[in-house]
Amino acid sequence: MSTTQEPVPALTRLLSRAVRALGRAGHPVDASRLAADGWAVLRHDHPGEAERLNGVLHYLARLPGNDPAKETRMTAEDRPLDVRSEAPARRHTLIFETWQSLGDGEGFVLINDHDPKPLYYQFAAEHDGEFTWDYLEQGPETWRVRIGRTAAA
């Protein structure tokens, strides 16, 4: 590495290469957790670098064996959040804002045009034990996931 490189972008590139290699080596869940942890560290102060790791999470989500934990709760009060017409750069912000607005035990149903598995790992990196995740529909054109806030959150 050249001494003229900025450390955060250089480390983000290294982490991106490493977690992609870990995922291809048969450990996509571990790789996704590491990438999401990096994303959580960077997202507020270095959003461009966090977005790079978000792209890596989307790559890892397509690898075989990448199945995040699933929860099994849903209520009739869950409101839908359809992000399919939102710009991709806005989607995760909107989803996190919606989750933050929930009361204990409440949830919403995310409607998306691709598997939101990267989002699961981002929630786990920032809100481990505070959210629930339940796939209601898994493509091929529409994914519906109930995302909830636990009473402990």
Side-chain angles (χ1 to χ4, degrees), residues 71-85:
E71 298 291 330
T72 58
R73 291 186 288 198
M74 188 172 111
T75 68
E77 297 84 34
D78 293 338
R79 64 183 184 262
L81 176 62
D82 189 340
V83 297
R84 294 175 291 184
S85 64

Side-chain angles (χ1 to χ4, degrees), residues 54 92 95-96 110 116-124 133 147:
N54 185 43
H92 286 209
I95 294 163
F96 277 105
L110 172 64
K117 213 180 291 186
L119 184 68
Y120 169 84
Y121 290 109
Q122 291 169 338
F123 266 101
W133 184 273
I147 302 171

Side-chain angles (χ1 to χ4, degrees), residues 29-74:
V29 171
D30 293 331
S32 294
R33 287 190 177 126
L34 287 170
D37 287 345
W39 171 87
V41 168
L42 295 169
R43 77 177 253 193
H44 296 292
D45 294 332
H46 302 279
E49 298 306 314
E51 191 58 33
R52 177 189 297 270
L53 290 176
N54 185 43
V56 172
L57 281 163
H58 280 78
Y59 164 80
L60 295 168
R62 294 187 300 270
L63 295 177
N66 195 342
D67 297 317
K70 298 176 185 176
E71 298 291 330
T72 58
R73 291 186 288 198
M74 188 172 111

